[in-house]
Amino acid sequence: MFNLFGKKPTVQEQQRETDKALRKVGRDIERDRRGLEREEKKLELEIKKLAKEGDHEGCKILAKQLVQLRKQKTRTYAASSKVQSIGVSNKAMGANMKLANAMSTTAKTMQDMNRIMKPEQVAADMRAFGQASMKMDMTDEMINETLDDMLTESGDEEEQDQVMQKVLDEIGIEISGKMATAPSAHKGKLGESSKAELPTDEEIEAQLAKLKS
């Protein structure tokens, strides 16, 4: 069996052709049954006519024909039921084929993804990422602590008090009573005492080099 292009039809094409043929058979059976029903009515009328005329022999002959006709009509109902059952099975087979194809495609896709992604490598990469991220966090924390230690000197607290006092003086707020116990600020320009004690750029770079080693 080949299609119009001379190629062997696919399973889906065969399923559609089968479904089409079954529908045609069903229509033919229905048409035959309607014809038998018309013949049945004619025979019934003819039998009644012969009975009125007293033709008993003719009634017997026609009665036999009527019995055979009714048996044939019963067969058409059985045939229609069988065709419908085959049609349902055909549709179910088509649905199963679609499901099987979908599962096959999904399985192939999963296999391709597993081959590309390599689960073991992905897991290893995730572990390496976690370790690198943790190491980065620890390094960042160590650098921050070191910089804090380098930049925090004993005079910072006094310098902070001096800056706060200057700001409060500028906005006209007096806190002489509250600041009675605070250490006295260094004389001179703001920041002179702390600038002399800050580490140089060379010292900071040396400390960072130690952390990287």
Side-chain angles (χ1 to χ4, degrees), residues 74-128:
T74 300
R75 292 190 189 100
T76 63
Y77 284 110
S80 294
S81 177
K82 186 65 175 179
V83 169
Q84 291 176 0
S85 176
I86 294 173
V88 171
S89 299
N90 187 53
K91 287 183 174 61
M93 182 181 297
N96 289 336
M97 287 301 301
K98 291 179 181 178
L99 179 60
N101 290 337
M103 294 177 66
S104 175
T105 301
T106 303
K108 185 177 182 302
T109 301
M110 294 174 65
Q111 290 174 356
D112 292 340
M113 291 300 295
N114 287 333
R115 183 169 59 253
I116 294 172
M117 294 180 65
K118 296 180 180 179
E120 298 83 0
Q121 184 62 42
V122 172
D125 292 342
M126 292 299 293
R127 287 193 297 269

Side-chain angles (χ1 to χ4, degrees), residues 3-211:
N3 56 24
L4 296 177
F5 300 100
K7 296 180 180 180
K8 187 175 181 180
T10 63
V11 175
Q12 290 80 4
E13 291 175 341
Q14 290 179 348
Q15 190 267 337
R16 286 194 296 269
E17 289 296 324
T18 301
D19 190 56
K20 181 179 178 181
L22 289 173
R23 288 198 301 270
K24 184 178 184 304
V25 170
R27 289 193 299 268
D28 292 343
I29 292 174
E30 182 65 24
R31 184 175 60 253
D32 291 343
R33 182 164 56 249
R34 287 196 298 268
L36 291 172
E37 289 174 347
R38 288 192 295 268
E39 292 296 326
E40 182 182 10
K41 291 179 180 179
K42 289 180 181 180
L43 281 174
E44 289 175 351
L45 292 174
E46 189 66 24
I47 291 171
K48 289 178 181 180
K49 180 181 178 182
L50 293 176
K52 288 180 180 180
E53 294 175 353
D55 188 354
H56 299 292
E57 191 64 27
C59 286
K60 289 180 181 179
I61 294 173
L62 292 181
K64 289 180 180 179
Q65 293 179 8
L66 181 61
V67 170
Q68 294 298 323
L69 189 147
R70 288 178 174 174
K71 286 182 178 179
Q72 183 62 31
K73 189 176 71 172
T74 300
R75 292 190 189 100
T76 63
Y77 284 110
S80 294
S81 177
K82 186 65 175 179
V83 169
Q84 291 176 0
S85 176
I86 294 173
V88 171
S89 299
N90 187 53
K91 287 183 174 61
M93 182 181 297
N96 289 336
M97 287 301 301
K98 291 179 181 178
L99 179 60
N101 290 337
M103 294 177 66
S104 175
T105 301
T106 303
K108 185 177 182 302
T109 301
M110 294 174 65
Q111 290 174 356
D112 292 340
M113 291 300 295
N114 287 333
R115 183 169 59 253
I116 294 172
M117 294 180 65
K118 296 180 180 179
E120 298 83 0
Q121 184 62 42
V122 172
D125 292 342
M126 292 299 293
R127 287 193 297 269
F129 174 81
Q131 293 173 356
S133 178
M134 184 181 299
K135 185 176 181 181
M136 181 179 292
D137 291 340
M138 294 176 62
T139 301
D140 186 59
E141 184 178 353
M142 292 172 62
I143 291 175
N144 289 335
E145 290 178 354
T146 302
L147 289 175
D148 289 341
D149 292 341
M150 291 169 59
L151 299 177
T152 301
E153 302 294 340
S154 59
D156 283 356
E157 185 176 355
E158 295 178 357
E159 182 183 358
Q160 291 171 5
D161 291 340
Q162 188 178 19
V163 172
M164 183 178 66
Q165 183 62 53
K166 184 176 184 299
V167 173
L168 292 175
D169 290 342
E170 289 176 355
I171 62 177
I173 298 178
E174 297 181 0
I175 55 172
S176 56
K178 297 180 180 179
M179 297 295 294
T181 58
S184 59
H186 289 289
K187 295 181 180 180
K189 295 183 180 180
L190 180 63
E192 284 183 351
S193 61
S194 60
K195 287 182 179 179
E197 298 171 352
L198 289 176
T200 64
D201 293 340
E202 289 77 8
E203 291 174 337
I204 293 176
E205 291 178 358
Q207 289 292 335
L208 291 176
K210 291 180 179 180
L211 289 174

